[in-house]
Every structure is written in structure tokens, then in C-alpha cells.
Amino acid sequence: MGRKTLLLARAVIYLLAFVLPPVLIAVLGVKAGLADRYEGPPAEAQVRELPASPGHDPDKPTAVVLLSNQGSEVTDVLAPYEVLARSGAFNVYAAAPERAPATLSGGLDVLPQLSFAELDRKLEGGDPDVVVVPAMWDVGTPAHRPVAEWLREHADGTGTLMSVCDGAEVLADAGLLDGRRATANWANLDRWEARYPDVGWVRGLRYVEDGNVTTAAGVTSGVSATLRVVRGYVGEEAARELAREIGYPDQRIGDEPRIEADRLTASDRALYVLWGAYGWGKPRVGVLLRDGLSEIELASVFDAYPGPAFTSKTTTLAPGDPGALIRSEHGLYFVPRHDLDGAPSLDRLLVPGRDAASKTDPAASSWAREKSLEPEYVHADAPEGFPFDATLRDLAEHENAPLASFLARLLEYPTDHLELSGSGWPFVRLLRPLAVGLLGLAAVAALDRLVLVPAAKRLRRPPKGTGA
């Protein structure tokens, strides 16, 4: 081997040693972060007794929000559920293949009100009037088959089949979007265009309507799309009053309202990787659950803190006995992962709800003092705003403004009315992948001194007996 070739080979080895470890950690770390968003509850978080399923009014249309027992996106589920329930116009059910706790992204466990079999019996073999399909974690796997089969069975007879965010993937995987226009979360549209070429994917619309199928764009766009669906049952005036009551910043419920056709930038990708793969030492956040919480208030916490930007490790806790259920404002039951005695060590304790300060259980306040935790009533300072205003502002303050702004875009949440004050772009976080690269260099340098350099010397040494 010539000297120049040897030098070139060593340079390539050093370059790979610097680049490959940070890239490998980025890929594996983001995958682990995504899986962690849907990590199931600990074994001790068991439901002791199933509550009775909701009643059924045969004079009302029926709206069903689907759940996957393997994991569904939290706001995709809870925001449409609350809008439908607040309207008062529907029998509203959250249904899953099995009536067992289903994890929503970020670590919030919800108990489906009905299994698919129970739902079909309640409808006496008929089809729902509205079906809401959230993004799901297990699309395309054998575990997802019951969801796809149920959708195919009921799609034609359903009045409105509505997906939220990457719930469009669920519909596309079931073959229900072929030949239709559709939209989804802007950050993943390139992927869906490549995977499902028979769908006419559309950018820059809050929602897209094609026949009996409505597809909403990213996450919070499901609020607008649900209001649009509700309008068809309650009328224009009542729908607009409901929109004002909900308080979502984009009040348009007309025909396919336009929004910015967003795309990922280099800064977006860097933030995503830095928090997804290099978010070492993330704060451990406890969320205190209590009866009567708004579903959207809960969603605003679990999509801001653990969320799609991986900003924290989040768990739920509540006073009382292990396995006790917490009932939301509109009748969903949640399963806390810990009672107070079994709660892990926490860095922050968030207490959702506009009226949380006056309704927090005294036992929880006493427990927090013993643990040197200050309960943070995250919605208390913004009683009139949409709940995401408060959690995004808090995230900007505790992490940084660019990350909170990026998260708002991933959630497709309008922020023109919202000031996100916090530190600037986190350049110091770049030191983490740089340190990994330097460690790779150091390891190869050590190997070079121990193995490669002696080997090179042996190659250059003339054979014995040549007289050199």
C-alpha cells in the first residue's frame, strides 16, 4: 500500500469516526423517543373495575372517536371529542378494538368507553354518523388490523369519516383515500406522497373535504375540522357560537380554509434531533389529574411537554387508591400511572385546569410540599385563551422560544396572537453531538496509536536480508 493511499485511508477513517457516532445516536435516539411517547403504563396502573358504558339516545346522531390500544395521538383524540361533546348534538363514544387502557402520546392513559364489538351492538349493526380517526402508533402492523377492518366495514355507511393529522395514514393504509384529495401533518406529507401515490395529497389547507371523507391537517387543525362537521348537524349560527366557546384561534369553518404550506427547515431538523436524540437529562414532569378537567386542557399539556418535540419525560398521578379512575369534563375516564405514595422523583408538578388552584386536593398540595415541589397551575394565567396558549408560553420560558415556535408549527397551532418569550436558539446544545464526534475521534486516535501506526511502520520496514 502506497504512502498516499495509507494517508487517505486514515483520513477517511478519522472522518467517519467523527461523523458516524453522532448520526447513529441521532437515528436511534429519535426512534427511541418516538416509541417512548407511546410507552404503556406500569404494571401497577391497573383498572380495578370498568365503569358503565355511556347511555345511547336513539334520537341523536352518533359520533365515534377511534382509539388504538397500541397508542394514539393525544390532541387528535381529545380535541375532537370535546368539540363533539360540547355541541350536545351527538352520542359521543371513544372506542377501541378492546376495552382496555389505551395510551395517548406523552403518557396519558384513557379507558375506551366501548370496544368495537360493544359499539356495533349499541348501533344495532348500523354505521356511525361521524367517525374521527387520530394518528396511531401501530399502523401497518398485525396489531392494527382490527382498526383497519372496522374502518373498511363502516366507511361507506358513515356520514362523515374524518381523520386528524396523520390519522390520514390510517385511512390511506386501509385503502380509503385512493383516488381522493386529502391532507395530513405538513411535516410528513412527503412521506405519505411516496408511500400512498394514489392519494391526491394537498398542502396549505386546514382541512380537505372529498365526498364523505374530511382530512384535517396537523393536530390542532382537528378542532376546525370538527367544528366544520358539527355545523352540518347544528347549523351555522350554533357552530359559530361553539367555535367562540372553544376559543381556537382560527375561527374559520367555511370551505377548506387556507393556511401556510409549511416545510421543514435545517433549523427544524436540528431542533428535532437535538431534543429527540440528545435531550439528555430531560426534566421529569408529573401531571396531577383530577375529575372535571377539560379534555383540551389535558391535551395541551401532553402535546407541549413530552409532545412531538420530546421536551420532557411525563407521567400522571392522582390522590387516592392505585387504579382509581379520573373522569374528565365530558365523561372520559383516565387511568393515573401513580398514586401519590408511588410517584417517582419529579422535577416539576403541573396542575392543569383554569380553576386548578381552587380545586386541587389538599392531600396533593401537602404531598407536593413534602417533596419540595411547587405546584404549577399552568392554565391559571390564561383563563380566557385556548389552553395551548398557556402551555406553549410556559415551554418557551422553560426551554427556549425557537423550540416552542417549532412545536406550535408541528401542532399547526396559530400563534399570530401569541408572544413566545424565552431564550434564543440553543446553540450550546450543539456541543452534545460535537462531544460524541470528538469521542469517536479520540477512540480511533487511540486505536491508531496502538494498532495502525505500528502496522504502518512494519509495512515501511524493509525485509530482513535486503541490505537496506
Side-chain angles (χ1 to χ4, degrees), residues 147-168:
V147 174
E149 290 172 357
W150 189 91
L151 278 168
R152 282 191 287 264
E153 180 182 347
H154 292 277
D156 289 342
T158 295
T160 300
L161 188 60
M162 188 189 100
S163 67
V164 183
C165 186
D166 288 334

Side-chain angles (χ1 to χ4, degrees), residues 162-405:
M162 188 189 100
S163 67
V164 183
C165 186
D166 288 334
E169 180 199 13
V170 179
L171 296 183
D173 178 76
L176 300 176
L177 293 184
D178 289 354
R180 294 183 183 269
R181 297 166 63 246
T183 193
N185 191 302
W186 61 270
N188 291 322
L189 274 174
D190 287 343
R191 190 195 319 176
W192 307 146
E193 285 171 346
R195 186 175 298 176
Y196 306 107
D198 294 331
V199 181
W201 296 104
V202 179
R203 297 177 185 271
L205 293 174
R206 181 70 72 190
Y207 48 80
V208 170
E209 297 172 301
D210 192 319
N212 74 326
V213 177
T214 296
T215 51
V219 191
T220 68
S221 294
V223 174
S224 292
T226 309
L227 287 166
R228 170 72 173 176
V229 171
V230 168
R231 188 183 78 159
Y233 291 87
V234 304
E236 180 79 24
E237 185 176 345
R240 292 202 176 280
E241 178 57 33
L242 179 59
R244 287 189 288 272
E245 182 184 332
I246 297 296
Y248 185 65
D250 189 345
Q251 296 278 303
R252 297 172 295 169
I253 52 174
D255 296 336
E256 298 187 344
R258 292 206 158 273
I259 56 176
E260 182 181 354
D262 214 340
R263 289 185 181 273
L264 287 170
T265 66
S267 175
D268 296 337
R269 297 177 193 277
L271 288 169
Y272 188 71
V273 169
L274 287 175
W275 261 260
Y278 291 93
W280 308 326
K282 291 178 184 177
R284 182 81 179 183
V285 176
V287 181
L288 188 67
L289 302 182
R290 63 172 174 81
D291 289 336
L293 280 170
S294 148
E295 293 82 6
I296 293 177
E297 287 173 344
L298 278 172
S300 73
V301 170
F302 286 90
D303 248 340
Y305 298 97
F310 316 108
T311 57
S312 69
K313 296 278 290 183
T314 307
T315 194
T316 54
L317 58 154
D321 298 330
L325 297 174
I326 300 295
R327 189 180 188 275
S328 73
E329 182 178 2
H330 299 101
L332 281 177
Y333 285 93
F334 297 96
V335 187
R337 295 196 167 186
H338 307 280
D339 61 2
L340 297 181
D341 291 336
S345 176
L346 300 172
D347 299 299
R348 299 181 68 188
L349 179 65
L350 300 183
V351 189
R354 292 176 173 88
D355 57 354
S358 62
K359 293 193 174 181
T360 301
D361 191 303
S365 299
S366 176
W367 173 85
R369 285 193 298 271
E370 291 175 5
K371 301 294 183 180
S372 300
L373 290 168
E374 184 69 32
E376 299 178 49
Y377 304 104
V378 67
H379 295 114
D381 293 334
E384 302 303 324
F386 196 68
F388 279 79
D389 289 356
T391 51
L392 286 168
R393 277 199 297 261
D394 183 78
L395 185 67
E397 179 183 342
H398 280 83
E399 294 288 348
N400 59 77
L403 185 67
S405 178

